[in-house]
Amino acid sequence: DIQMTQSPSTLSASVGDRVTITCRASQSISSWLAWYQLKPGKAPKLLIYKASSLRSGVPSRFSGSGSGTEFTLSISSLQPDDFAIYYCQQYNTYPVQFGQGTRVQIK
Amino acid sequence: QVQLQESGPGLVKPSETLSLTCTVSGYSITNEYFWGWIRQPPGNGLEWIGSTHQSGNTFHNPSLKSRVTMSVDTSRNQVTLKVTSVTAADTAVYYCVRVPITPSASHFDNWGQGTLVTVSS
């Protein structure tokens, strides 16, 4: 199975900060990577698919990059609604695997 | 706008079968998507359970495959999940998801809010 490693596990930031989350795959997954946002009691949201494609309706402050084994999710200017847990997911092969998550919390 | 809503018992006894239903609104499940399930044990990360299509084509996580059955009920626009012989390790929030068809495996473009299932006597 392909293992996904996210860093950091927790990130403390302020409104307006630029934040970056990294996701590494244990082997090449081409660009078959997605990013999700999870908040308690709410339906999780797909943010990015195919490494850098922004899902329709997602604010443009979110962006994704990378290919092969190293990927990043960036938020250009953190907003109050962005404090959440973010997960990457590889879908190059089954079984699909998620990273362990990155909690973005208020500094 | 597609909406997914999970429903089912919140408490299941060890060794029994966990059964959940996902009701899809705003979209016909006879259209070209797979439908699947993901779970999240308390304090842990996300685990893909499996994905299924109305044609019967199904992908399972090998870690659960022998205990999992998924099906699509087109007449009710529902997706069902059954997990047999449950233990405390199956305690989790269970999410229903819509699964786009891609050349590889897939991501998940719509999620339900999730339902907590606790396995306890």
Side-chain angles (χ1 to χ4, degrees), chain B residues 107-120:
Chain B
H107 60 289
F108 311 104
D109 68 355
N110 282 278
W111 297 57
Q113 280 195 308
T115 188
L116 174 62
V117 179
T118 301
V119 178
S120 175

Side-chain angles (χ1 to χ4, degrees), chain B residues 42-95:
Chain B
N44 285 348
L46 298 166
E47 178 182 35
W48 171 70
I49 297 171
S51 303
T52 190
H53 189 264
Q54 59 159 346
S55 64
N57 194 9
T58 298
F59 298 93
H60 290 95
N61 190 327
S63 68
L64 290 158
K65 180 178 180 179
S66 62
R67 300 194 293 127
V68 168
T69 302
M70 295 176 292
S71 62
V72 174
D73 184 340
T74 57
S75 65
R76 297 185 178 188
N77 225 43
Q78 291 179 334
V79 187
T80 61
L81 170 71
K82 293 186 189 300
V83 182
T84 62
S85 304
V86 297
T87 69
D90 294 305
T91 294
V93 174
Y94 285 75
Y95 295 99

